[in-house]
Amino acid sequence: MPAAAEKSVASLSHVTLRYERGALALDDVSLDVRAGEHVCVLGANGSGKSTLALVLAGLLAPDAGDVTLLGEQVLAGGHVDFAAYGRARRGLGLVFQNPDDQIVTTVVEDDVAFGPENLCVEPAQIERRVRRELDRVAMGAFAKADPTRLSGGQKQRVAIAGALAMEPRLLVLDEPGALLDVRGRRAIMRVMGRLRAAGTTIVHVTHFMEEALAADRVIVLSEGKVALSGTPEQVFSHAEKIAALGLEEPFCARLASRLQALGVGVDWTVDDDALTRRLASLLAAAPAAPAPAPVPSPAEPSPATPGDEPAILADDVSFAYGSADHAHALDHVSLSVAPGASVAIVGQTGSGKSTLARIACALETPDAGRMVVGGIDTATRRNRRLLHGRIGYVMQHPERQLFAETVLKDVAFGPTNLGLSAEEVARRSRRALAIVGLADKADASPFELSGGQQRLCAIAGVLAMRPRTLVLDEPTAGLDPRGRTQLARILADVHARGVTVAVVTHSMDDAALAQQVIVLDRSHVMADGTPASVFAEKSAASLADAGLGLPTALSWALALRDAGAPDLGAPLTLDALATAIASRLALAAPAAPGAPAAPGEPVGPREVR
């Protein structure tokens, strides 16, 4: 942190905030954010992260306590000073978790200009800012586009550009990368780095643990309270508490811990470079070994019996939003998903993933080609009606599926429309809520749930209909690590019951666990096959060019090889990587009894502070 960065730009003292129905969102929170500081806020779903973001951005006044923003005391003893809020907001910027909450115009460049215009910035300066920020988020080519026609990730980049165009002194970002591909998230991290170097103070709310490593300070919230605070290394060293709070350590730390458990001489660390150097040194010194055995892929779906129809069949499908001169969202796409398969659909932001999901669920029909679901061609309205209850769809933004007075009524809506008895509807609805861990929220309003909880509620509503095919669009976006693990278990259980599960995702780690991976690139199918074939080394460069990435474990294996280690094969999971490393090192002669540990080798278990 810069030496001059000691002045507080945001200060909260004993802040408490309750929502309607008495839900306590922040509970006696006290913290200071210093000028030029990069603070990362972590916490489980419902821990109060988004509420804290709104308070720091000057959009939500607590019920009790003191708040000072940019030198303005906006809240004193729970009493609001509206004039002070007005002055402070001129230097505050916020990027919402859902970009649709802050896009207000029908032209991208007008939307980015909206904030500076309200600050009475000179028109020539506004024009320069708009061009600069759209280029910074790689959206310059979409300046004249209608944001409502953009993908979720593209909308998020427009929202970020709009916030940056106001040149805030304090920028608050609430899950800005949740809907973005790997390239998009990395671009945001680079932007944050440049802004911090220029003196902008940043508060970053995220569920990506690796992103927290770039911060000066990490704050972990739990049930509205500050549970942990310190440098990234200090916070993540509390491994047991981190897990208890529904979070996880970064991949590097988990790999180090797993290797220690396997007897490999490494220190626990959150420093990727340090662990890479240590492992490369150990592996390079190990005796030569035969080529690594191929890493087994997830079990392929059972072969279809004669007469079985594909669960999803796209035959030369093309689709464009708007008039015919619009660029195609899908362009001559052909693919097939076997009944009972688990499939991951990946691709960069705007590649057509969500469009493919909507067409597969008969919410859109192709402009050309055929979409056949479970043997039913979706071309006619009559056929699309036949799919009701047979295919379930969870949208990218689950709050758009929620509407009822209570969570239970919302979940019951789908099975009720299937004509089931009241008893069966109630049984299915409560069972679905139990599956997703929301049984205790049955009587709550769905709009009082956190973003992650809303996603689980929407999933429960679909599960209650017991579809044969389940399509989910970015289901892990906005979920904390515990929620992602829970959802993985839910989907594995649903898949084990014979349901075809298709997941649109930006997570290559999630895709590596599927039986089939379909990669879209600029509206075309770029790759289609097993994870082992799609993530093969010869495909790595193409995936990188497409704005994607590789499973984290495979990226580590390649980085170790580049650092001088021997080939470890193509591990796609943390356990596979750790096992490959430990197996290779097991070929080395054991140290003589009483021999000193190698430099950096732990002499005992890591202390969990």
Side-chain angles (χ1 to χ4, degrees):
M1 185 171 51
E6 292 302 323
K7 183 179 178 182
S8 174
V9 297
S11 178
L12 277 60
S13 178
H14 301 291
V15 161
T16 296
L17 190 149
R18 289 183 181 274
Y19 285 121
E20 292 182 10
R21 297 195 183 192
L24 192 61
L26 295 178
D27 185 7
D28 196 31
V29 171
S30 296
L31 62 88
D32 284 291
V33 178
R34 296 180 291 275
E37 190 177 20
H38 178 178
V39 176
C40 192
V41 181
L42 305 176
N45 292 122
S47 62
K49 303 185 304 299
S50 293
T51 301
L52 178 62
L54 292 171
V55 170
L56 291 172
L59 296 183
L60 193 60
D63 301 307
D66 301 324
V67 177
T68 301
L69 301 173
L70 302 181
E72 300 283 350
Q73 183 158 15
V74 296
L75 187 79
H79 298 290
V80 177
D81 185 332
F82 292 101
Y85 262 116
R87 293 189 295 270
R89 285 176 185 146
R90 298 182 64 85
L92 299 169
L94 173 66
V95 177
F96 288 104
Q97 189 177 54
N98 185 347
D100 287 324
D101 291 340
Q102 65 187 107
I103 291 178
V104 296
T105 75
T106 57
V107 179
V108 164
E109 62 182 3
D110 291 347
D111 209 277
V112 177
F114 184 79
E117 285 173 349
N118 279 279
L119 295 178
C120 300
V121 176
E122 291 292 329
Q125 180 64 18
I126 291 176
E127 185 177 349
R128 285 193 292 272
R129 291 190 190 184
V130 170
R131 285 200 307 268
R132 180 189 69 200
E133 302 309 338
L134 283 176
D135 288 342
R136 187 164 6 199
V137 298
M139 288 295 290
F142 295 86
K144 302 293 185 181
D146 180 352
T148 64
R149 296 293 188 182
L150 300 178
S151 71
Q154 289 170 323
K155 289 179 184 178
Q156 187 65 289
R157 287 194 255 171
V158 172
I160 292 169
L164 295 179
M166 298 173 68
E167 297 187 347
R169 291 168 55 195
L170 171 59
L171 178 62
V172 181
L173 303 103
D174 187 2
E175 290 280 0
L179 299 176
L180 298 182
D181 54 35
V182 172
R183 177 187 292 165
R185 291 200 300 273
R186 288 174 180 168
I188 290 176
M189 295 302 293
R190 287 195 298 270
V191 168
M192 284 195 285
R194 289 195 293 268
L195 290 172
R196 180 180 172 277
T200 302
T201 308
I202 296 171
V203 174
H204 178 201
V205 177
T206 184
H207 280 311
F208 294 105
M209 300 299 107
E210 274 70 21
E211 292 181 355
L213 299 178
D216 300 308
R217 181 160 51 110
V218 176
I219 295 171
V220 182
L221 294 184
S222 176
E223 298 181 343
K225 293 178 176 288
V226 175
L228 289 170
S229 179
T231 66
E233 184 172 12
Q234 289 171 338
V235 166
F236 286 121
S237 71
H238 296 264
E240 293 181 2
K241 189 167 186 179
I242 285 290
L245 293 173
L247 305 177
E248 65 183 0
E249 298 172 286
F251 186 93
C252 174
R254 286 183 284 131
L255 176 59
S257 296
R258 181 72 179 121
L259 289 171
Q260 286 179 337
L262 293 172
V264 178
V266 295
D267 288 324
W268 179 90
T269 181
V270 293
D271 187 332
D272 288 7
D273 292 338
L275 184 57
T276 298
R277 289 193 300 269
R278 173 62 176 159
L279 289 175
S281 174
L282 290 172
L283 289 164
V295 178
S297 298
E300 295 187 12
S302 301
T305 58
D308 275 357
E309 297 282 357
I312 300 173
L313 174 66
D315 180 14
D316 202 31
V317 167
S318 294
F319 182 86
Y321 291 100
S323 59
D325 58 349
H326 278 65
H328 278 89
L330 293 176
D331 192 8
H332 297 289
V333 166
S334 295
L335 56 89
S336 179
V337 176
S342 66
V343 58
I345 303 170
V346 302
Q348 81 274 33
T349 299
S351 61
K353 303 184 301 298
S354 294
T355 301
L356 177 61
R358 289 180 59 81
I359 292 177
C361 294
L363 297 176
E364 306 279 1
T365 54
D367 297 330
R370 295 186 311 141
M371 177 63 75
V372 182
V373 180
I376 299 174
D377 192 321
T378 65
T380 67
R381 181 176 299 177
R382 177 180 177 278
N383 280 359
R384 292 195 292 274
R385 286 200 188 106
L386 293 176
L387 290 173
H388 291 176
R390 299 191 188 187
I391 186 164
Y393 176 52
V394 179
M395 296 179 180
Q396 193 175 68
H397 300 295
E399 64 275 10
R400 295 177 182 173
Q401 290 180 250
L402 307 178
F403 64 92
E405 180 183 356
T406 68
V407 166
L408 181 61
K409 290 180 180 178
D410 211 295
V411 173
F413 180 78
T416 298
N417 283 331
L418 294 179
L420 302 174
S421 68
E423 293 78 11
E424 178 65 10
V425 168
R427 189 176 69 82
R428 287 193 183 191
S429 300
R430 293 196 178 277
R431 171 61 179 158
L433 284 175
I435 288 174
V436 302
L438 292 179
D440 61 334
K441 300 289 185 181
D443 297 325
S445 166
F447 304 104
E448 291 179 354
L449 303 179
S450 71
Q453 290 169 329
Q454 286 182 334
R455 185 166 299 275
L456 292 174
C457 180
I459 292 171
V462 174
L463 293 179
M465 293 189 290
R466 298 186 181 173
R468 299 177 188 175
T469 298
L470 179 60
V471 179
L472 306 99
D473 193 353
E474 292 287 355
T476 59
L479 288 184
D480 57 44
R482 177 187 288 162
R484 292 197 294 268
T485 301
Q486 178 187 11
L487 179 59
R489 286 197 298 265
I490 292 168
L491 296 182
D493 179 63
V494 169
H495 178 244
R497 296 169 188 263
V499 176
T500 305
V501 178
V503 178
V504 174
T505 181
H506 281 307
S507 170
M508 299 302 106
D509 291 334
D510 290 346
L513 301 177
Q515 295 170 331
Q516 178 183 0
V517 179
I518 297 170
V519 183
L520 294 182
D521 178 35
R522 288 168 287 190
S523 309
H524 296 83
V525 174
M526 172 181 161
D528 182 356
T530 64
S533 64
V534 168
F535 294 121
E537 183 177 351
K538 63 182 180 181
S539 305
S542 298
L543 292 171
D545 290 342
L548 301 173
L550 298 172
T552 309
L554 181 54
S555 294
W556 269 80
L558 296 175
L560 286 169
R561 191 185 65 182
D562 291 344
D567 185 17
L568 293 171
L572 299 181
T573 66
L574 185 149
D575 278 345
L577 174 62
T579 299
I581 293 171
S583 297
R584 184 63 188 249
L585 293 176
L587 297 171
E601 193 168 28
V603 295
R606 170 171 65 91
E607 178 188 1
V608 179
R609 296 186 291 275

